Amino acid sequence: MSAKKMVYFFGGKVAEGDRSMRNLLGGKGANLAEMVNLGIPVPAGFTITTEVCIDYYKNNRQWPEGLEEQIRENMAKVEEVMGGKFGSTEDPLLLSVRSGARVSMPGMMDTILNLGLNDAAVEGLIKKSNNARFAYDSYRRFIQMYSDVVLGVDNSKFERLIDELKEEKGVQLDTELDADDLKLLVERFKALVKEEVGGFPEDPWEQLRGAINAVFDSWNNPRAIRYRKIHDIPHDWGTAVNVQSMVFGNLGETSGTGVAFTRDPATGEKVYYGEYLINAQGEDVVAGIRTPEPLSTLEQKMPEVYKELTGLFDLLEKHYRDMQDVEFTIQEGKLYMLQTRSGKRTAQAAVRIAVEMVREGLIDEKDALKQVNPEQLDQLLHPTISAKARANAQPVTVGIAASPGAAVGRVVFHASDAEAWAARGEDVILVRLETSPEDIGGMDAAKGILTARGGKTSHAAVVARGMGKCCVAGAGAIKIDDEARQFTVGEHVVKEGDWITLDGGTGEVFLGKLELETPEVSGDFAVLMEWADKYRALKVRTNADTPHDAQVARQFGAEGIGLCRTEHMFFGEGRIAPVREMILAKDTESRKRALAKLLPMQRDDFYQIFKVMEGYPVTIRLLDPPLHEFLPKEAEAIEQAAADLGVTVDELKRRITELQEFNPMLGHRGVRVGITYPEIYEMQVQAIFEAATQLAKEGVKVIPEVMIPLIGTVRELEEIKASLVEVAERVMQQAGVRVEYQFGTMIEVPRACLVADKIATEAEFFSFGTNDLTQLTFGYSRDDAGTFLEVYMDKGILEKDPFQSLDQEGVGELVEIGVTRGRKARPNLKVGICGEHGGDPASVKFCHRVGMDYVSCSPFRVPIARLAAAQANIESPREA
Amino acid sequence: MSAKKMVYFFGGKVAEGDRSMRNLLGGKGANLAEMVNLGIPVPAGFTITTEVCIDYYKNNRQWPEGLEEQIRENMAKVEEVMGGKFGSTEDPLLLSVRSGARVSMPGMMDTILNLGLNDAAVEGLIKKSNNARFAYDSYRRFIQMYSDVVLGVDNSKFERLIDELKEEKGVQLDTELDADDLKLLVERFKALVKEEVGGFPEDPWEQLRGAINAVFDSWNNPRAIRYRKIHDIPHDWGTAVNVQSMVFGNLGETSGTGVAFTRDPATGEKVYYGEYLINAQGEDVVAGIRTPEPLSTLEQKMPEVYKELTGLFDLLEKHYRDMQDVEFTIQEGKLYMLQTRSGKRTAQAAVRIAVEMVREGLIDEKDALKQVNPEQLDQLLHPTISAKARANAQPVTVGIAASPGAAVGRVVFHASDAEAWAARGEDVILVRLETSPEDIGGMDAAKGILTARGGKTSHAAVVARGMGKCCVAGAGAIKIDDEARQFTVGEHVVKEGDWITLDGGTGEVFLGKLELETPEVSGDFAVLMEWADKYRALKVRTNADTPHDAQVARQFGAEGIGLCRTEHMFFGEGRIAPVREMILAKDTESRKRALAKLLPMQRDDFYQIFKVMEGYPVTIRLLDPPLHEFLPKEAEAIEQAAADLGVTVDELKRRITELQEFNPMLGHRGVRVGITYPEIYEMQVQAIFEAATQLAKEGVKVIPEVMIPLIGTVRELEEIKASLVEVAERVMQQAGVRVEYQFGTMIEVPRACLVADKIATEAEFFSFGTNDLTQLTFGYSRDDAGTFLEVYMDKGILEKDPFQSLDQEGVGELVEIGVTRGRKARPNLKVGICGEHGGDPASVKFCHRVGMDYVSCSPFRVPIARLAAAQANIESPREA
């Protein structure tokens, strides 16, 4: 009968599959076939299709008719190519049996090596390898692996037998067991298997059937099922099975094994790069028992092989159009390629390789853009600890890597000290239990920030990332004694003024000064960014609250400000007093008097920022936090503030108590403050338009976008917008000059997404505040979620931290609803994102997909967003 | 030309419209026509259609061709019926001109009375009325009203002229001005109008055109536009204009005016009920200058009129099939009905009228159910202050009416005192700044609760409503001095042990003991509830945490428990110590030891509740609040607790600090605690199933439903459910008996609604926790929203408090998404609601509409929910 084709051969010069057949042959099978088709020597084998796996399950775990016949036919082809014979006692062909699904599910399913060995075949292997120890070690490993995976004998029982034997022999390491010991171990293993399950199958064909079934069965083991659930992989895809002949690099001086990269993965230089061992197996290279030799020396030792190998490197690069990471084995002078895949590389290398490959004509600009991982660019934008310094240093503790880059400075414990010390030219590291908005000045003055509490989305982390400043957060091991002005970590005591070094990319904290280096941002980087700008559809703006940040962002290519928070300005020098006076005001009149003092300062803030952002839009968010954030918290500070304000301590305390909230995140903030105290927003809008008209008169083009935060109903916007537009118009009229402007809103509460069509009748733009939207959609406080988010990620409940990468399934659906409904009511609605997600590549791609106009991110992530936006538009081009 | 019909006549025995023509004639016009068609004497008039209004706007505020002609034709009919003549100086026909849209927009649009008066006509009116003062007063009122509304002369200018005249005359009240004074005033008014706008129109037809246009224009005045926005009324509906002849009850002893109800609106008794005045106008009855006489005396004075009037009462009741509230005027012996509408009534009357009307065959059961306002039933379920006592008492302050009913008791300031005093038989009122879960025992022991802080959804309010206990919250005027054990309010000092009385339905606080009465829940009430059960599709469950509450709810007709919170049990006697021990435990083992102490107590809790709810499902929510809620807050309590637990104060403080959260609502709570400390949920499930199997053995049918709170991803449920099911199965196996059970989840974070299809693969039921869902969808903390929610409602930003009535537009859409997607994945998914909204009639109807299986509410709201559910199913029947 002519059953359907269930088995695909690869080997010699012929493969029946190719890399387009991933669904049928799995990723690994398709890739092995592809290499064969390229004429690359690959150990021969065959792939049993995923369809067979599906049939197997449908058919109550029975093989479909004809499968065994097809396997036997293909085995004959393998034997023909490889020269051995499966089950032979003279020249045994040994096999590996591996799973291979459409997408990689690393470590989820089972693998069996050295299949085909039995008491007779091992003798053949000894003869062939001339290495009895190797042969018995292979045999005992096979029994152990097969019995565990196929027969279900508990692996620990084998380990116990090994330990017993080592004890008998008085040795410590497995490698100290010799050939005879291993032979004895094989006997003991077989006895164990006999006792447990009745015996080990001597028949290689029975071994093979068992192994194939085990791979099919492993598709539905609990960890594989769970993996698929987490990664949304359908359960009915099934796995293919790859049966491949084994080759050995340890059959003498004409054998060997190695790993290599087709270019230098550290620098990107176009040189062959790798290492190898003569007379060794792959695991020996990894184990580090012998020191491998650099690949270049192979040219002398085996010039033919070297020539063939490097020829293959060129072939593979050309074919896969990317730098490759390969594994190879030389068996008795014959070269076999075991694997090729895209090589991992540093950011610097990634950029250089991509740009050079375009120059070489190997790839085009779009390919180059696709090849670089945007996230990696982060490495190029911050100082790092030099490799030499790091090699000799041990961190005293490791906290959470909250904001990348490295910093060296002297320890201070108070924001005011940081400012004072920095003013006199000291490099300082601000060390706090946790930071609060009051610390902004000190954070700005410090080279780096270290906190004992809080995670990647704590105040310290968010602000530091915004400033592009190194931060290690949540270093729980450090115990801060504020009064003594010191902290302890383990047995170390670090006092104010002591030097420490932070690595915000790893979370490491070092005592003393380590040498830093600023990686060179080479010309290639600029070239790549130019290409990115050519291909992207999304605009990239920045979140910046200061002229300095805005300047940095412009250098990184920002095309405007997507979020200029105004509250940080309220903490600036000479400002907190009138802010507090405003909060303590007993009536509108005295509130207005206090606000009048703030007006010129706010106007100057905006003037400076607008000026830096000449010609680009600047989205200014009106005051957002609850008022209590501006009041002092600690007794001493309260006394000081009361004295400054000319009120009694009791009076100030009463107001602080009045304003206290159980859940400030959900409290009296954003537009709610704007509605209860409209004069605050009116002052801010006045300042914005006074600054804008001043610049307009000076001939500087300014495009202010006034953003009202925390809108949940269109009525809120109706309530507040009219009077603010009036203020804007009045200022422009008085100034006698008009500027282009828009009023819009931040979309950050779930309800706003649902009623976006109504809100868009009033708002001219939407900016999705995905930080708050994530908090509310999940019900997670980012300040508190540290206690369970890590557990959630460990257990695979969450794949990623939703504060770092947008939860596309939940929060993303709300965003999409918001965009769609908003545009339905106002087709030319401008839409962007200004949460932390604006700098996360996956989230940027999401923003592209849902049709946003721009993303906005911290200055140091602007290049990342530019690249991600380009990739997004290359992957799914947006119509012009 | 034959223009389309734009004007509809009513009067005499003929009306061209009827009540089905509301869209064309507006509500008022349709209703006047309907009365005429019933043969009821109504002052004749005509209605200009809403279509004319729409044309008017389309046509740049011009009348459509033919309108004036149609008006003139109809005016002639009015004159024929009424006997006067519009514009006549002998027998002037005076008119009212009123707006009337499809739906009532009270006070939003303009009205003009006495139209048709001028210097000549007023003389005719004097002759006709024989009352010069009345005639001039009517005239000056007309000028004032018309000039304000139509001519745009500022009303305050007229008021100033009145004040000046009173000063000249040396009198205080308008009523002290005589006919001559008023005649003088008319002259001065006209002089003012002349100065302001060039003169007052003497021509009645010009007056009429101006008035009609003013009504049309008032459709688009800012307050009307805003009203329509808030109430979602389309702007293009337009308003009709009703032009109706005026009648006067003050033309002598054969004239009069009155208001009446067709049944007693206080008791519901079937008697005519009302009052009237001879020789008076409607406003005299309202103004209270003369004391009106009871309607019964009219029978002697004007037997014919009385007979006609009561005959109309019967006719109207029969026609409208509801108790009517009517206004009538007798002009020179002739009866005119000016208005009829459904009469407002007490809850008691509503129930009695509905049930009796069914018995009388006037309406059917469904009509009866529709006639009673579910919200009103609340009045029947709680004690109230007797009318007599209230008449003589003045509240010392008014707080927020947080939980209905009245209570009398002696003031205590601590929960422990409340328990101690109650134990010795005292009635106490617990007075707190705000309550916390620690106060539960004291709240339960108290007759009522008074807090200085918090609103309708504060802890005190929510718990008190659950207990059906009176609560006045947020009485900001009371200043509590805990240490002195007293509070001050105004100049009063209330000490511990002093008597006070609370009215939780109004928020009033009285000093001393007021007499209370428990309104009789008559047999009619039970009958109505039976009917409700017959017609509803939704099941009604209750939220109850104690056997007592469960018992009360069963008596009110609850069909199970929809939410049994387990955390309140953790505060019970002898429990808080092991709970705290559990929280302080340093490892899983010691945590389990502490939990083992709680197990028997939890088991007993569930045993008692299951027993009361025999045969009905009981949904038990596993522990939900963050652990820090169980730790003491104040210094003294911390010392005590540390001593009790055998730990140092520092140790306890450290743990308290560790557990502190910025936003506990969004923190480490719900299933997040269950996942980080699975042993807590395991203990609870063990207790549930031990109690259930025990009862099963005793022959009591028990249906536990285990509810896991705060699920946001299906992975959370997968993670925790399997082990809990295992515990349940193990307990049942050990007990040798099985009980029917389900595992499900609370849907309360927005994300859960969006991924409900996935969650439903694991959950057998959904219970929408709309309190939290509302908090998260709006981003409002119900504990903190008091500061702005009131402002929001005042300004019309929110129509209703979304914590009291479900926000159907925003939160409701999420609920609908959740129900639809959940059922898509699991068609037989059981779905209910267990937030506060389960007892709100509008929300109950929403739950019916989206296809829920049940609502669950506090015990005292069960009858309300039963009635609302019946109404919902009558309005839109659900298929069986």
Side-chain angles (χ1 to χ4, degrees), chain B residues 262-382:
Chain B
T262 56
R263 303 190 185 213
D264 185 332
T267 65
E269 195 186 345
K270 187 162 171 32
V271 290
Y272 306 127
Y273 183 96
E275 47 194 26
Y276 71 101
L277 275 172
I278 294 294
N279 195 13
Q281 271 197 305
E283 57 190 21
D284 300 331
V285 180
V286 180
I289 299 166
R290 290 161 53 193
T291 306
E293 297 184 55
L295 189 66
S296 52
T297 63
L298 188 65
E299 191 165 9
Q300 277 92 49
K301 295 209 177 135
M302 303 189 189
E304 288 301 309
V305 171
Y306 181 80
K307 201 177 150 201
E308 186 184 356
L309 184 63
T310 55
L312 291 180
F313 288 175
D314 297 347
L315 176 64
L316 284 168
E317 262 207 0
K318 206 167 247 163
H319 185 69
Y320 285 103
R321 310 196 322 155
D322 194 6
M323 185 263 267
Q324 297 294 299
D325 166 2
V326 304
E327 289 177 22
F328 60 91
T329 285
I330 306 155
Q331 179 173 301
E332 297 174 324
K334 171 148 181 53
L335 176 68
Y336 290 101
M337 299 297 276
L338 300 183
Q339 176 163 282
T340 187
R341 59 185 171 190
S342 264
K344 294 220 183 308
R345 62 206 84 177
T346 64
Q348 205 185 334
V351 172
R352 178 169 174 177
I353 291 170
V355 173
E356 287 189 352
M357 281 190 169
V358 174
R359 291 207 189 104
E360 292 161 20
L362 206 57
I363 59 175
D364 64 17
E365 290 170 2
K366 289 183 184 181
D367 295 327
L369 290 164
K370 282 194 284 185
Q371 226 177 58
V372 180
N373 174 358
E375 192 54 62
Q376 239 189 343
L377 293 184
D378 213 26
Q379 291 174 20
L380 299 181
L381 302 167
H382 298 280

Side-chain angles (χ1 to χ4, degrees), chain A residues 81-129:
Chain A
V81 170
M82 298 304 291
K85 192 151 176 58
F86 185 57
S88 155
T89 54
E90 290 304 308
D91 184 11
L93 176 74
L94 300 190
L95 302 174
S96 67
V97 180
R98 288 186 170 94
S99 64
R102 283 194 209 182
V103 295
S104 171
M105 292 168 54
M108 287 301 124
M109 291 186 295
D110 294 320
T111 287
I112 288 157
L113 300 179
N114 297 319
L115 188 135
L117 280 175
N118 55 25
D119 288 351
V122 74
E123 297 302 329
L125 187 61
I126 291 171
K127 245 184 268 167
K128 189 168 164 180
S129 67

Side-chain angles (χ1 to χ4, degrees), chain B residues 177-196:
Chain B
L177 297 174
D178 65 17
D180 289 338
D181 298 334
L182 293 167
K183 189 174 176 185
L184 181 62
L185 201 55
V186 164
E187 279 161 29
R188 291 185 181 177
F189 275 14
K190 290 177 73 177
L192 170 66
V193 174
K194 183 155 196 177
E195 195 182 309
E196 292 275 327

